[in-house]
Amino acid sequence: MSLNISSPAFSDGGPIPERYTRDGENVSPPLKWSGVPDGAKSLVLVVDDPDAPRGTFGHWAVFNIAPNLDGLPEAEGGRPGPEALRQGKNDFGNAYYDGPEPPRGHGVHHYHFRLAALDAPSLDIPGQVGVARIWEEARKHAVEEAELVGTYQRN
């Protein structure tokens, strides 16, 4: 069984409901995963938008997730459950989830929810490191990766 990530809030390739955007309540969507490989010691989740006008924009990074967790609940303000979870700084400058907010009239943006199973129990990086840097460090230890893509467009 390979690593898989999904959300009961939207389908892969489907639109992200406004509730999970900065136009709505800006809460992180519920996420589920399965197929974490045996021997994985931690998980990392990042969310980014490669369609942003100035290049890929990081919306969220959660790292040092216990490998026995099977997802993250919808979380008010994007601050997920167990306090052991560490969050990096997104490109809005916040260390929590900030949802989609593409420029009006810029077309459909694709938000990549990337999950990696790592061979390391933790990433020894400061919490104020950005999303791109956390993903870069995670990939050095990745045993397996999965991705869920949601779309959003502001009119």
Side-chain angles (χ1 to χ4, degrees), residues 43-99:
L43 304 171
V44 170
L45 171 73
V46 299
V47 180
D48 59 30
D49 170 15
D51 301 319
R54 294 188 187 105
T56 301
F57 191 94
H59 286 265
W60 198 23
V62 184
F63 58 105
N64 300 348
I65 302 168
N68 62 336
L69 285 182
D70 64 358
L72 293 176
E74 176 179 283
E76 193 68 37
R79 294 169 185 86
E83 293 189 6
L85 295 179
R86 302 259 324 265
Q87 299 185 69
K89 187 168 72 170
N90 64 34
D91 290 342
F92 288 108
N94 302 314
Y96 52 81
Y97 173 85
D98 269 309

Side-chain angles (χ1 to χ4, degrees), residues 16-36:
I16 297 171
E18 188 172 290
R19 172 178 173 72
Y20 307 108
T21 73
R22 288 171 61 107
D23 291 330
E25 295 176 44
N26 199 34
V27 296
S28 62
L31 298 169
K32 293 285 187 190
W33 49 78
S34 61
V36 174

Side-chain angles (χ1 to χ4, degrees), residues 111-132:
Y111 297 85
H112 296 254
F113 290 72
R114 304 174 202 268
L115 180 70
L118 310 184
D119 63 6
S122 64
L123 292 178
D124 188 22
I125 52 180
Q128 292 305 304
V129 169
V131 174

